[in-house]
Amino acid sequence: MQDLYYSSTRNSSKRITSSQAIVNGIAGDGGLYVPSFIPALDRPFEELIEMDYRQLACYIIGKFLPDFTEQELKSCVDKAYDKKFDTDKIAPLVKVGGLYFLELYHGATSAFKDMALSLLPHLLTAAAKKTGIEKEIVILTATSGDTGKAALESFSNVSGTKIIVFYPSKGVSLIQERQMVTQEGDNAFVCAIEGNFDDAQTGVKNIFADKDFNALISRSGYMLSSANSINIGRLIPQVVYYMNAYIRLIERSEIEQGQEINIVVPTGNFGNILAAYYAKRMGLAVKRFLCASNENNVLYDFINTGVYDKKRELKLTMSPSMDILISSNLERLLYELCNKDAGILSGLYSNLSKTGRFSISEDMKEKIADFWGGFATESQTLEAIAQAYNKYGYLMDTHTSVAYYVYNDYAESTSDKTKTVIASTASPFKFPGAVLKAICADGGQHKSLDEISMLELLSEISGIEIPVPLKDIANKKVIHNNLCSVGKMKDFVKSSLNL
Ligand SMILES: *Cc1c(COP(=O)(O)O)cnc(C)c1O
């Protein structure tokens, strides 16, 4: 069999290795790196059941990163999935009212971004070594809230790297902001920008595409890379937990081998749900992917009409990590749908940048029949939190709640009884204001409280302990106090690197 390599979604002629793809982050032509094929599971479930999370991670990730040796990968994986997680299961599957919640928030920052970002610094430094890079790697990241902190936490004090995070000044929760601005580490830089997440993400993409600026960076002994979910090193580790969930379902005799499941994902940049799609292509039996959006329901419209139209106002919601109008990783799905035709993709994305929209062919649309789009409004999000809490005593955050709502909507309108896994993407304690509002009988009691006191109140009411990563942010010193316009992002990078 041919070795797996990577190329850009917008130009298939240039082939690079998986380590080069990880080091570069994003392709120079504006496209995303994609594997030349999606490797198939080649070991029976009987064997996979014997593996713990780390062993399964080595196996799955190894299939996508063929230029890493088994030993190298094991060393990366062991450093990533260790005591930073508050459970040895790493991603526990919790059964609630006939559904399975795949809890992805047991890592260092209480959000699912930890699943991949715990691993990325190790993959990246190993990949840099392999490709003979001696430059210092500068991670440049735009965040809608959770990525920023998870990236800061995982890269801080990793030698040979610097990490620069931009976040929208009005678009992250107080707790998310506090988590970021209190980040310690000599190599960590944080800046709020005047704009929303899409502005921040576009700003970062522009810096990557700026040839002159990259030349300056390079002359100064640095190279830029990305920790956003556009980096293949972010995406691949996410395939693991879907496989793991499936295997644990077999192990617990909840399903038979080969039996189809549904997967529901609260979606923003389309990374998490794309990982589930990759898992299916590897051999996981998935009937439906339920793509759950909040009021920024671009993907809902796209799945239902085949037209992607970002020309609309971005709404700030109580699920801020999904407040996105340009879901970058969708490009990787589209690439698979058009049989890897980089020309078609370049056309679609040139339309998107010129007119704010594109529409896919009937043929491509037929191939997303296993995707179901749904969305929850703000009040539906609150209702769903209250419903799960009152009925089952299960507390969920605002993002997971969007998925839960969309699932219930789906189940009602289709009568589909397929066993279903819901990706649970953040601890409810990351969004205590909204969660309290949803579950408190007196709804208003919390109003005069700051977010930190809300944590305590939520813990008191629910009887659940505040996760350790959130417990002591109140006492931490604010280290980063920066705000700039989108146009000045480059200058912030320059000053952080002393250029
Ligand atoms: C990032 C994030 C999402 C969205 O995930 P994508 O991979 O961007 O689709 C959902 N929920 C939470 C809590 C997140 O942090």
Side-chain angles (χ1 to χ4, degrees), residues 262 287-288 407-418:
N262 292 327
K287 178 173 181 180
R288 276 260 159 80
Y407 171 75
N408 283 332
D409 198 25
Y410 166 83
E412 211 166 282
S413 63
T414 60
S415 305
D416 181 9
K417 299 272 187 292
T418 305

Side-chain angles (χ1 to χ4, degrees), residues 112-113 146 266-272 321-322 399 425-426:
F112 105 92
K113 305 293 193 290
D146 291 331
T267 296
N269 221 6
F270 211 78
N272 203 2
S321 300
M322 296 153 68
H399 302 75
T425 51

